[in-house]
C-alpha cells in the first residue's frame, strides 16, 4: 500500500512540476496495437493514424490498399495503474474520393487536473506511392490552482511513402508551429517532435517496424531528447496477432495481442516503464461501410 501511494504521489508531482515553464504534452500513447509495438508506427496505417501520422489515413490496414471505408476507434489507458488517472481517445475516419477526413478527440485527467484535445485531420494521396496529411488541433488543460483553463492551437503534419506492399516509410512533425500558452504564473511550451521510421512485412505473418524520435523542448529549461523504438507483429493464428516492442529512452518494453473479427478489431497492450511500472491499454476499431464504387 505504501509503495502504491508513493508511486501515485511521485507521478502526480511529476505532472505538476512539468508545468513549471517547461513542456506540456498532449496524450500520445493511443491505440493498443500501437502501444504494443512501442509506438514504432509512424509508417503504418490504422484508425489511430490521426494521432501518429495523418498521411497514412489514406491507406487501409491491408498493405497497398487505399482507405475507402468509414471507420472509428476508441482507446482506453490507465497509466501505471494509478487509481483515478485515465486517458481516452476517439478517432473517426471518413474517406472521400479525393481526401480523407478524420476527427480525433482525447481526454486525460487525475484529481483536479485534466487535459483535452480536439483535432481535424486531412490526408491525400499525392501520387500512387506518396501521401501527405495535416492535423489542426486545439489542446486545453485546466489549472486547478485558479479554477480556469487555457488552450492552444497546434499543427501536425506528416508524409507517408508506400514503396511496395512490403515496405513503407513515414516522416512526421508534431507541433510544427511552437505555440506557448501563458498562465498567471508560467509560460508553458509544447514540445516539437520529429519522428521518422520504416515498416517491413517480412512474410505474410511477420511485420517489423522501427523509428527514431527527436524532441525539442522550448520552455524555461530548454533541452532535447532522442529515442529509438522497435516493434514486431506476428500473425500466430488466423486473425490473432501477438506483438512486442521496446524503446530506448526511457527504457520500456511492451507486449500485446489483437483479434480481428469481420470488420472489428480488439487489441490489448501492456507497457512497462523501468521506474513507474505497468500500464494496460485497450482499443477497439470498427469499419462501418464498404468501399464506394
Amino acid at each position: 500500500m505504501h509503495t502504491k501511494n508513493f508511486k501515485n504521489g511521485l507521478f502526480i508531482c511529476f505532472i505538476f512540476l512539468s508545468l513549471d515553464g517547461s513542456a506540456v504534452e498532449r496524450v500520445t500513447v493511443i491505440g493498443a496495437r500501437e502501444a504494443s509495438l512501442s509506438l514504432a508506427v509512424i509508417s503504418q496505417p490504422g484508425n489511430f493514424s490521426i494521432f501518429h501520422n495523418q498521411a497514412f489515413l489514406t491507406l487501409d490496414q491491408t498493405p497497398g490498399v487505399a482507405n475507402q471505408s468509414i471507420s472509428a476507434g476508441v482507446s482506453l489507458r490507465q497509466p501505471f495503474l494509478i487509481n483515478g488517472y485515465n486517458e481516452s481517445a476517439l478517432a473517426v475516419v471518413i474517406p472521400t474520393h479525393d481526401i480523407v477526413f478524420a476527427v480525433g478527440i482525447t481526454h486525460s485527467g487525475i484529481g483536479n487536473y485534466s487535459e483535452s484535445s480536439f483535432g481535424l485531420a486531412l490526408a491525400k494521396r499525392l501520387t500512387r506511392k506518396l501521401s501527405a496529411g495535416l492535423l489542426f488541433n486545439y489542446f486545453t488543460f485546466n489549472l486547478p490552482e485558479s479554477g480556469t483553463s487555457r488552450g492552444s492551437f497546434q499543427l501536425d503534419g506528416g508524409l507517408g511513402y508506400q514503396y511496395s506492399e512490403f515496405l513503407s516509410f513515414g516522416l512526421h512533425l508534431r507541433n510544427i508551429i511552437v505555440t506557448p500558452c501563458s498562465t498567471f504564473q508560467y509560460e508553458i511550451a509544447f514540445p516539437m517532435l520529429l519522428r521518422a521510421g520504416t515498416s517491413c512485412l517480412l512474410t505474410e505473418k511477420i511485420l517489423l517496424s522501427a523509428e527514431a524520435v527527436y524532441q525539442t523542448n522550448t520552455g524555461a529549461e530548454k533541452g532535447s531528447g532522442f529515442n529509438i523504438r522497435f516493434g514486431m507483429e506476428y500473425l500466430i493464428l488466423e486473425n490473432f496477432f501477438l506483438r512486442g516492442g521496446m524503446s530506448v529512452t526511457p527504457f520500456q518494453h511492451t507486449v500485446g495481442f489483437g483479434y480481428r473479427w469481420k470488420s472489428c478489431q480488439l487489441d490489448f497492450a501492456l507497457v512497462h516503464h523501468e521506474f513507474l511500472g505497468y500500464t494496460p491499454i485497450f482499443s477497439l476499431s470498427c469499419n462501418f461501410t464498404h468501399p464506394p464504387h
Side-chain angles (χ1 to χ4, degrees):
M1 178 65 70
H2 293 293
T3 302
K4 185 176 182 180
N5 291 336
F6 174 76
K7 181 176 71 172
N8 292 3
L10 178 65
F11 190 73
I12 292 171
C13 288
F14 171 78
I15 291 176
F16 288 105
L17 286 175
S18 70
L19 295 176
D20 189 11
S22 59
V24 173
E25 179 64 286
R26 63 184 192 263
V27 178
T28 56
V29 184
I30 298 172
R33 177 178 183 267
E34 290 75 5
S36 62
L37 295 173
S38 198
L39 295 182
V41 293
I42 199 67
S43 56
Q44 296 183 35
N47 287 326
F48 299 115
S49 294
I50 183 175
F51 302 108
H52 299 287
N53 187 353
Q54 298 78 34
F56 279 93
L57 289 168
T58 61
L59 293 177
D60 189 82
Q61 287 191 337
T62 303
V65 177
N67 187 2
Q68 294 180 297
S69 297
I70 296 175
S71 60
V74 61
S75 174
L76 303 173
R77 175 175 178 252
Q78 186 180 15
F80 315 114
L81 294 172
I82 295 176
N83 290 331
Y85 186 30
N86 299 285
E87 293 182 351
S88 58
L90 172 68
V92 179
V93 182
I94 306 174
T96 67
H97 289 287
D98 297 321
I99 298 177
V100 178
F101 297 91
V103 173
I105 302 172
T106 68
H107 179 78
S108 65
I110 180 171
N112 294 325
Y113 182 80
S114 65
E115 299 176 357
S116 301
S117 71
F118 177 86
L120 173 64
L122 309 173
K124 182 177 176 62
R125 301 190 77 163
L126 304 179
T127 68
R128 186 172 62 88
K129 295 184 177 182
L130 181 65
S131 300
L134 289 173
L135 174 66
F136 304 90
N137 189 76
Y138 186 70
F139 175 89
T140 60
F141 61 97
N142 76 335
L143 300 170
E145 69 274 16
S146 62
T148 60
S149 62
R150 292 290 185 272
S152 175
F153 282 102
Q154 300 165 353
L155 177 65
D156 299 356
L159 294 173
Y161 185 74
Q162 189 80 16
Y163 178 77
S164 69
E165 61 178 312
F166 305 106
L167 183 64
S168 61
F169 302 90
L171 178 68
H172 188 261
L173 187 60
R174 187 169 197 173
N175 299 332
I176 296 174
I177 303 173
V178 178
T179 53
C181 183
S182 299
T183 72
F184 73 98
Q185 188 174 2
Y186 302 126
E187 179 76 13
I188 299 172
F190 297 87
M192 183 179 291
L193 197 71
L194 175 65
R195 299 170 65 183
T198 183
S199 297
C200 179
L201 191 63
L202 291 183
T203 70
E204 293 182 353
K205 294 186 175 182
I206 300 177
L207 173 71
L208 298 180
S209 62
E211 73 172 60
V213 185
Y214 179 78
Q215 175 176 304
T216 299
N217 294 336
T218 56
E221 298 179 2
K222 295 184 179 181
S224 61
F226 184 78
N227 192 10
I228 299 177
R229 301 165 175 165
F230 304 95
M232 182 179 74
E233 180 178 77
Y234 178 54
L235 179 61
I236 188 171
L237 296 171
E238 184 179 5
N239 297 325
F240 185 79
F241 301 86
L242 287 180
R243 308 182 182 108
M246 65 170 290
S247 65
V248 176
T249 308
F251 178 76
Q252 293 185 139
H253 60 267
T254 60
V255 294
F257 64 85
Y259 181 74
R260 185 178 299 160
W261 182 73
K262 295 185 178 179
S263 60
C264 295
Q265 180 165 319
L266 177 66
D267 296 297
F268 171 78
L270 197 61
V271 180
H272 181 260
H273 188 280
E274 58 182 328
F275 299 117
L276 297 172
Y278 290 94
T279 296
I281 306 172
F282 296 89
S283 64
L284 175 65
S285 301
C286 294
N287 293 334
F288 298 110
T289 61
H290 297 289
H293 299 290

